[in-house]
């Protein structure tokens, strides 16, 4: 089942002098089983948009359908608990998700809240901790004694422990070193390959090019574009006007083509780019 927004608007502090329209008349369909990136400048409405998917925020106007469940303006969903099991959200700042005295207690909280017994939850905690690249020695540590990158891994593990159908990731690689970043992005792609839907809020266009299928462009609280990765990055002038940098590979290809090459701008990895350049030089 796809995710559908119908005329969704969200206003913070509605009715007060500080009211702010963060989302305006959103009509959007996000397909099931894909990796969809949500991009845009800071303040464009990206995080507000995705926080509607598990009813962390409710629409001020309009409605949306997520996995067959309806979320209507200003009405708390009746099936909220089931929805939040199916839709996992990893916050931009992992400190917002970490609250228990040990990492194990933090990770098992979600599964136990949804009916898993403690012994089984502990087995799940061991498994997901290894999945995000941390060993069992971390289980008894306090999450607040970790580095920023380790906190992020634990926050991701806590969401994976609930085995959601939709995984929403808000800047999930912030604070990770290059190796950790590659490990996490490869993990998310593997999760997607298992059939789960991934929604990635990011400023890193290199990740969008390499790992995503579709792109939603947010601008001033509106969905300005929704298209395939290839089509979005073809319009470099449009992205530059929004203050969005092109992926390094795409920018390099455009520079080569401006110098007389004819290389496919949809190439998304170094190996294919080297092959294409070789073909041009030897052709």
């Amino acid at each position: 089942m796809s995710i559908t927004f119908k005329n969704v608007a969200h206003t913070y502090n509605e009715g007060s002098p500080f009211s702010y329209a963060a989302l305006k008349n959103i009509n959007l369909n996000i397909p099931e089983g894909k990796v969809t990136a949500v991009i845009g400048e800071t303040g464009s409405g990206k995080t507000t948009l995705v926080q509607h998917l598990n009813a962390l925020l409710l629409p001020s106007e309009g409605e949306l359908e997520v996995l067959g469940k309806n979320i209507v303006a200003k009405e708390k969903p009746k099936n909220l608990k089931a929805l939040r099991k199916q839709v996992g959200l990893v916050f931009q700042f992992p400190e917002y998700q970490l609250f228990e005295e040990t990492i194990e207690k933090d990770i098992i909280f979600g599964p136990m809240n949804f009916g898993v017994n403690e012994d089984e939850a502990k087995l799940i905690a061991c498994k997901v901790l290894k999945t995000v690249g941390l060993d069992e020695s971390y289980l008894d540590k306090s999450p607040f004694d970790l580095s920023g990158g380790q906190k992020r891994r634990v926050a991701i593990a806590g969401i994976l422990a609930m085995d959601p159908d939709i995984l929403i990731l808000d800047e999930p690689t912030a604070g990770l070193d290059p190796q950790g970043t590659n490990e996490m992005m490869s993990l998310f792609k593997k999760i997607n390959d298992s059939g789960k839907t991934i929604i990635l809020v990011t400023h890193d266009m290199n990740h969008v090019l390499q790992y995503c299928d579709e792109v939603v462009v947010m601008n001033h609280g509106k969905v300005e574009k929704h298209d395939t990765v290839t089509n979005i990055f073809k319009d470099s002038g449009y992205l530059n006007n929004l203050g969005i940098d092109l992926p390094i590979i795409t920018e390099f290809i455009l520079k080569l083509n401006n110098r007389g090459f004819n290389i496919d701008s949809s190439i998304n990895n170094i190996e294919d780019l080297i092959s294409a350049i070789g073909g041009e030089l030897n052709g």
Side-chain angles (χ1 to χ4, degrees), residues 6-272:
K6 299 178 182 177
N7 304 312
V8 170
H10 186 85
T11 301
Y12 289 106
N13 300 313
E14 193 170 9
S16 80
F18 305 102
S19 68
Y20 171 69
L23 296 181
K24 307 166 188 174
N25 195 36
I26 301 294
N27 289 285
L28 176 65
N29 186 276
I30 299 175
E32 182 182 14
K34 301 284 188 182
V35 182
T36 298
V38 182
I39 68 173
E41 289 188 291
T42 299
S44 61
K46 304 184 299 296
T47 296
T48 301
L49 180 81
V50 298
Q51 287 184 353
H52 280 73
L53 295 175
N54 68 349
L56 191 63
L57 294 176
L58 296 177
S60 302
E61 299 175 18
E63 62 182 284
L64 60 154
E65 183 177 338
V66 182
L67 299 175
K69 298 176 175 63
N70 292 319
I71 302 172
V72 180
K74 302 177 182 178
E75 292 183 14
K76 183 177 179 180
K78 296 178 181 178
N79 46 16
L80 183 59
K81 188 172 182 178
L83 176 68
R84 289 184 174 166
K85 183 183 186 305
Q86 291 178 288
V87 182
L89 171 61
V90 179
F91 290 102
Q92 181 176 358
F93 302 105
E95 293 82 2
Y96 292 175
Q97 286 180 238
L98 305 175
F99 57 91
E100 288 282 8
E101 59 186 16
T102 69
I103 288 170
E104 182 179 60
K105 288 182 178 180
D106 225 308
I107 295 175
I108 69 175
F109 177 85
M112 290 181 65
N113 190 45
F114 291 111
V116 176
N117 67 56
E118 185 173 356
D119 289 340
E120 186 178 351
K122 287 183 176 180
L123 292 175
I124 293 171
C126 291
K127 179 181 178 181
V128 296
L129 201 59
K130 290 178 182 177
T131 298
V132 298
L134 299 174
D135 61 48
E136 294 182 18
S137 67
Y138 283 84
L139 287 170
D140 293 328
K141 293 183 178 181
S142 167
F144 304 106
D145 292 336
L146 304 179
S147 68
Q150 289 169 334
K151 286 179 182 177
R152 187 165 300 279
R153 290 172 185 265
V154 171
I156 293 169
I159 297 300
L160 294 181
M162 293 184 288
D163 193 26
D165 298 303
I166 299 171
L167 181 61
I168 304 166
L169 303 153
D170 194 349
E171 301 289 354
T173 60
L176 297 178
D177 59 26
Q179 180 179 343
T181 293
N182 291 334
E183 289 171 356
M184 285 297 100
M185 292 307 301
S186 296
L187 169 62
F188 303 145
K189 184 60 178 172
K190 184 177 179 180
I191 292 170
N192 172 247
D193 289 341
S194 73
K196 298 183 184 296
T197 301
I198 306 288
I199 299 173
L200 177 68
V201 177
T202 184
H203 284 94
D204 193 322
M205 296 304 105
N206 299 298
H207 293 162
V208 175
L209 179 66
Q210 188 172 357
Y211 295 100
C212 298
D213 302 301
E214 298 192 356
V215 183
V216 175
V217 182
M218 296 294 296
N219 189 23
H220 296 296
K222 296 181 180 180
V223 173
E224 192 160 273
K225 279 195 176 185
H226 178 204
D227 209 332
T228 64
V229 169
T230 300
N231 287 338
I232 290 292
F233 287 133
K234 278 181 180 178
D235 195 346
S236 58
Y238 165 73
L239 293 176
N240 287 333
N241 286 337
L242 286 181
I244 297 173
D245 294 329
L246 289 174
I248 293 172
I249 289 178
T250 304
E251 189 169 11
F252 184 59
I253 291 171
L254 291 176
K255 288 180 178 178
L256 289 175
N257 289 346
N258 287 336
R259 292 178 176 270
F261 284 76
N262 186 25
I263 297 175
D264 184 356
S265 63
S266 68
I267 288 174
N268 66 357
N269 63 81
I270 294 294
E271 292 78 13
D272 288 348

